[in-house]
Amino acid sequence: MRFFASESAGGIVLAMAAVLALVVSNSTLGGWYQSFLTFPGEVRIGAETLVLAKPLILWVNDLWMAVFFFLVGLEIKREFVEGELASRAQAVLPAAAALGGMVVPALLYAAINAGDPVALRGWAIPAATDIAFAIGIVMLLGSRVPASLKVFLTAVAIIDDLGAIVVIALFYTHQLSGTMLLGAGLAGLLLAVLNRQKVMRADLYIVVGLVMWLCVLKSGVHATLAGVVTALAIPLRDEHGDSPLEALEHGLHPWVAFLVLPMFAFANAGVSLAGVSLQTLLSPLPLGIAVGLVAGKAIGVFGTSWLLVRLGWAAPPGGASWMQLFGVCVLCGIGFTMSLFIGGLAFDGQGPLYETQLKLGVLGGSIVAGVLGTMILWRGRGKA
């Protein structure tokens, strides 16, 4: 209940941060907003031993989002070891639904952007689901959404995040540094040793994780992946049944929900609407993202779920109608945070045009998916 409560309130704060970014970037404060994003920050040890110099937006996207992915890693481990995904019977429906919800949006986006090789780099953008927004909406709808569908949505979003992690690792890496990868590998080995020796002090894992983050940052692989690897090494239970992992998860939730993600939204959702026309919105890149999020997610998640249930390979969420299930599947099209994050990696260095179209597509598609999903769930009742 603490998890759902923090995600619900966090989703509201996240929306407020995104709206604030849009308002500020399209007001007389637009220049201040850009200066804020490029505000320099530097960490230096010695003259040339270690120097990290980045603008604020990259500190947010590389370091703060590593904390978010650390929390995602904790959730993934808990769910697969003891939670809703611990058995094959429990995991098959959300796992297959999440896979369908990644493949179909990616295919639709690729079909719409087939003529632009640069735009094709963003094929994974509509494959993501923003768990904070989606859970926030279903919690605000209260009893209109059965508890089984809330669990289903959470499981789909968590597996979706796992898929996004794999996509980032495989497809969105830069030129690799063998030395830094070796350092990251040694840090990962040390984390495994700590886990094997049943070390329960979470602070030791976090210190090693910070070293890994630095090595991964310098290696060419995106630094946020270090957060996931560190999280997976945290022990779930000690000999007394206490859980260092759950303690960290519950402690981090409010920080991520009310600080990390809203800060990411404020730093990444601002886009100038000056000169934006209907033709701009219907250009292939934003159209592909929006169609992927709205239609692709609904078709992929619901279609896969319906097929598995009809074939008898999985049981439907208890106490939910097909219309309610479809509404939740539509909400999976709220990509916002993860879509913006993946889009930033896909179009890094490609110029303001791609950045603007990325944000228009993600914001437009996420809003439409959120409104449609809410309307369907508001009206959808009855037995499955």
Side-chain angles (χ1 to χ4, degrees), residues 291-309:
V291 170
L293 288 173
V294 178
K297 276 290 185 180
I299 295 170
V301 178
F302 182 79
T304 304
S305 301
W306 180 86
L307 184 62
L308 261 64
V309 171

Side-chain angles (χ1 to χ4, degrees), residues 68-312:
F68 166 69
F69 275 88
F70 178 72
L71 179 60
V72 168
L74 295 174
E75 293 172 351
I76 288 171
K77 181 171 182 176
R78 175 178 51 77
E79 289 292 344
F80 275 97
V81 176
E82 290 186 352
E84 296 298 326
L85 306 175
S87 69
R88 181 184 178 279
Q90 291 173 304
V92 63
L93 184 64
L99 180 61
M102 295 186 73
V103 171
V104 176
L107 291 176
L108 288 176
Y109 176 92
I112 294 173
N113 288 274
D116 186 345
V118 177
L120 278 176
R121 295 169 58 175
W123 60 269
I125 296 170
T129 295
D130 190 310
I131 187 172
F133 264 135
I135 291 294
I137 289 176
V138 298
M139 292 306 294
L140 290 174
L141 287 170
S143 61
R144 291 180 179 273
V145 183
S148 61
L149 283 183
K150 296 172 184 175
V151 173
F152 172 79
L153 175 60
T154 304
V156 169
I158 288 174
I159 297 172
D160 193 285
D161 284 343
L162 178 59
I165 291 164
V166 174
V167 167
I168 291 169
L170 295 179
F171 299 101
Y172 296 112
T173 57
H174 302 291
Q175 187 173 357
L176 300 179
S177 166
T179 303
M180 289 295 104
L181 280 177
L182 177 61
L186 292 174
L189 180 61
L190 180 54
L191 288 172
V193 170
L194 291 173
N195 180 277
R196 184 75 174 176
Q197 294 300 314
K198 302 187 184 304
V199 175
M200 296 296 159
R201 289 187 54 181
D203 55 345
L204 294 178
Y205 291 91
I206 292 172
V207 169
V208 177
L210 285 172
V211 174
M212 173 182 281
W213 175 83
L214 178 60
C215 292
V216 174
L217 178 70
K218 295 288 189 179
S219 72
V221 179
H222 201 270
T224 51
L225 299 178
V228 179
V229 176
T230 304
L232 295 178
I234 304 290
L236 182 60
R237 299 282 173 197
D238 62 17
E239 63 272 17
H240 304 295
D242 297 325
S243 177
L245 185 147
E246 288 184 357
L248 267 176
E249 187 180 349
H250 292 153
L252 277 175
H253 257 300
W255 292 99
V256 170
F258 299 113
L259 181 61
V260 173
L261 289 181
M263 183 61 180
F264 175 85
F266 181 74
N268 288 272
V271 56
S272 174
L273 300 178
V276 173
S277 63
L278 181 61
Q279 184 178 359
T280 306
L281 295 173
L282 295 179
S283 58
L285 200 157
L287 182 63
I289 295 173
V291 170
L293 288 173
V294 178
K297 276 290 185 180
I299 295 170
V301 178
F302 182 79
T304 304
S305 301
W306 180 86
L307 184 62
L308 261 64
V309 171
R310 288 304 185 196
L311 291 174

